[in-house]
Amino acid sequence: MAAPGEGCSEPAGREPRLRDTPEDICFEATANAIALHPARPLLAAGDVDGDVYLYSYSCIEGENRQLWSSGHHLKSCRDVAFSQDGQKLFTVSKDKSIHILTVEEGRLETRFPKAHSSALNCVLPIDNHVFATGDDGGALKVWDLRKGDAILEARQQEEYISAMAVDGNGKILLTASGDGTLGVFNVKRRRFDLLSEPQNGDLTSVVLLKRGKKVACGSSEGTIYLFNWDGFGAASDRFALRAESVDCMVPITDSIVCVGSLDGVIRSGAWDGEAVGRAQPWSGTRGGRARRACAGAHRRACGGLGPCLPARSSLGPVPVPRAVNVLPNRVLGCVGQHLGEPIEQLAVAPGGQLLASCAHDQKVKFWDVSALGGLVVDDYRKKKKKGGPLRALSGKAAGSGEDFFADLRDEAEPEAAAGSDSDGSG
């Protein structure tokens, strides 16, 4: 097993200092997946060699520590997730297996060796006993650890399940798929409910917003689609980002999400409910499904190694995380970047103060997103030069350095504004 370094720290010889964010954590292989513990400063990561690592992280320089590692997977580890009580770590792999490890020791507690007929792609804990998995063939399974087996099996989508989300009651499970559809499943009744109409490109991510009244899905075409909770059949709105793709997305607040893209940028932004045109597709030489598989879900098609990706110089802008506000719809700016490397996954620490990202540069980076939690985005938007640089949301972010807060109100959002964000719009 290739052991990663403790971090990408500066040379020793001076007193440790307090940083705004933890130092980067470096790996010897590309990290496909990361997760942050729900209560403690712990980060789990799975890499393309099938190894899983647990780190403690700290804003004190030199204090990141590897706690344990596990090499039980035979092929690339595709996803990792902590249980809701934080005592277990779920991992899924291209070798079709599910592993459940103890967080304290990294001991393999439960193993499902051939859990699916295709390579596994994602895992989502629903409660402390029930979890869901999705594979490359579009199959979904919901498992109950008390029974030791699957309690729901379905294959309603034609291509890989890229991401999943569940409502606060653990009843309705949503699945985003490479065939462009959003699947809706009732976990409590153990049944399939419906599929949305196909969208342009692969759906690569899915999150709940606006107190559960809105669902946002990212796509390989660089567009975010919005669905009303009671209207999953068709998207109620779409928002085209200035990005090659939306490969991963996490909510920071009830209205603000951060998205990671093939261009290596992490963006933050918002939606205002007005329909916009679809984003222009990647202009590479490959077409159709092959192009989308490389651009929108490269780790699924290539096992995380990325041999099917074009040369870095052809990918356009430098990859960075972006912040996006929903209703009103705004790209708020750039949170951070992995220079020239596609972003694989994002994770948010408890409290929404810290964002972690992993990319093909074999690093996990941390970003301070604490300022986003108190922001209120005005409906008014100033005209700005089309194609201009994204606003930098932190000192580590790529951008012009101009004041990000210029277009935002400092005061708290009035209660009356809660009804003006088109939550119930079709």
Side-chain angles (χ1 to χ4, degrees):
M1 182 192 311
E6 292 295 331
C8 307
S9 57
E10 298 177 8
R14 59 186 176 85
E15 290 295 323
R17 63 185 177 89
L18 185 64
R19 299 165 49 92
D20 292 333
T21 61
E23 296 173 280
D24 298 349
I25 298 176
C26 298
F27 295 83
E28 292 188 2
T30 299
N32 276 337
I34 55 173
L36 296 181
H37 193 276
R40 299 163 58 189
L42 300 176
L43 175 139
D47 69 19
V48 297
D49 291 336
D51 298 331
V52 177
Y53 301 94
L54 186 74
Y55 274 81
S56 64
Y57 60 87
S58 172
C59 288
I60 299 176
E61 193 174 74
E63 289 299 310
N64 290 345
R65 294 285 185 267
Q66 180 183 317
L67 302 180
W68 53 257
S69 62
S70 169
H72 294 290
H73 284 303
L74 302 178
K75 295 182 180 179
S76 174
C77 179
R78 295 279 189 83
D79 199 11
V80 297
F82 287 101
S83 61
Q84 292 185 351
D85 61 12
Q87 296 181 11
K88 297 181 177 65
L89 179 68
F90 295 82
T91 69
V92 295
S93 170
K94 188 179 178 182
D95 65 11
K96 306 177 185 178
S97 70
I98 302 170
H99 290 173
I100 303 175
L101 308 170
T102 61
V103 169
E104 291 300 325
E105 304 170 350
R107 176 173 51 85
L108 181 59
E109 187 176 76
T110 306
R111 181 173 184 261
F112 298 94
K114 295 295 180 182
H116 283 236
S117 59
S118 298
L120 283 156
N121 200 46
C122 54
V123 60
L124 176 71
I126 295 175
D127 60 31
N128 287 329
H129 303 289
V130 178
F131 67 98
T133 52
D135 70 24
D136 278 356
L140 166 76
K141 289 189 179 184
V142 177
W143 305 77
D144 191 329
L145 291 174
R146 293 164 297 190
K147 298 180 180 296
D149 203 354
I151 59 173
L152 170 63
E153 299 185 37
R155 189 185 181 280
Q156 299 294 329
Q157 290 161 300
E158 297 180 359
E159 296 192 32
Y160 66 94
I161 305 297
S162 60
M164 299 180 288
V166 68
D167 69 344
N169 297 321
K171 177 182 178 181
I172 302 300
L173 177 67
L174 306 176
T175 60
S177 173
D179 65 7
T181 64
L182 177 68
V184 184
F185 299 84
N186 190 313
V187 176
K188 300 296 185 183
R189 297 187 178 181
R190 304 181 186 180
R191 73 183 188 193
F192 162 73
D193 278 355
L194 61 92
L195 281 184
S196 74
E197 62 183 20
Q199 311 302 319
N200 294 323
D202 305 19
L203 293 188
T204 57
S205 51
V206 54
V207 300
L208 275 62
L209 298 168
K210 296 293 182 180
R211 302 172 296 281
K213 296 180 181 179
K214 291 284 185 178
V215 174
C217 294
S219 80
S220 61
E221 302 293 334
T223 300
I224 296 178
Y225 295 93
L226 289 180
F227 295 84
N228 292 325
W229 183 256
D230 56 354
F232 291 118
S236 63
D237 189 15
R238 58 181 178 176
F239 181 33
L241 304 184
R242 185 153 47 93
E244 293 282 345
S245 62
V246 177
D247 286 340
C248 49
M249 177 166 53
V250 293
I252 304 298
T253 70
D254 212 30
S255 300
I256 297 175
V257 297
C258 284
V259 301
S261 305
L262 180 68
D263 61 9
V265 175
I266 305 175
R267 295 170 172 87
S268 176
W271 290 260
D272 61 9
E274 57 179 320
V276 296
R278 63 177 284 236
Q280 292 298 314
W282 177 41
S283 58
T285 56
R286 301 176 182 85
R289 185 175 302 178
R291 173 185 60 77
R292 294 196 301 269
C294 291
H298 34 272
R299 78 172 179 272
R300 282 82 179 178
C302 315
L305 297 175
C308 64
L309 288 173
R312 182 183 305 174
S313 60
S314 68
L315 293 179
V318 170
V320 292
R322 296 158 170 88
V324 180
N325 188 83
V326 180
L327 299 172
N329 302 346
R330 302 286 186 270
V331 176
L332 301 179
C334 165
V335 173
Q337 69 286 328
H338 289 260
L339 294 175
E341 301 292 347
I343 294 171
E344 286 288 353
Q345 202 164 39
L346 302 172
V348 183
Q353 306 293 303
L354 196 66
L355 178 74
S357 60
C358 63
H360 285 201
D361 57 6
Q362 301 173 204
K363 294 179 181 179
V364 171
K365 292 176 176 282
F366 295 89
W367 315 96
D368 181 5
V369 292
S370 57
L372 296 177
L375 293 181
V376 178
V377 180
D378 203 314
D379 288 336
Y380 173 75
R381 176 168 50 186
K382 293 181 180 179
K383 290 184 178 180
K384 61 180 179 180
K385 184 178 179 181
K386 187 176 181 180
L390 288 171
R391 294 178 184 270
L393 304 189
S394 72
K396 295 171 64 178
S400 62
E402 57 187 324
D403 183 14
F404 162 66
F405 302 97
D407 293 338
L408 305 176
R409 296 200 305 264
D410 289 333
E411 64 269 18
E413 183 177 15
E415 291 296 328
S420 63
D421 57 5
S422 304
D423 278 353
S425 64

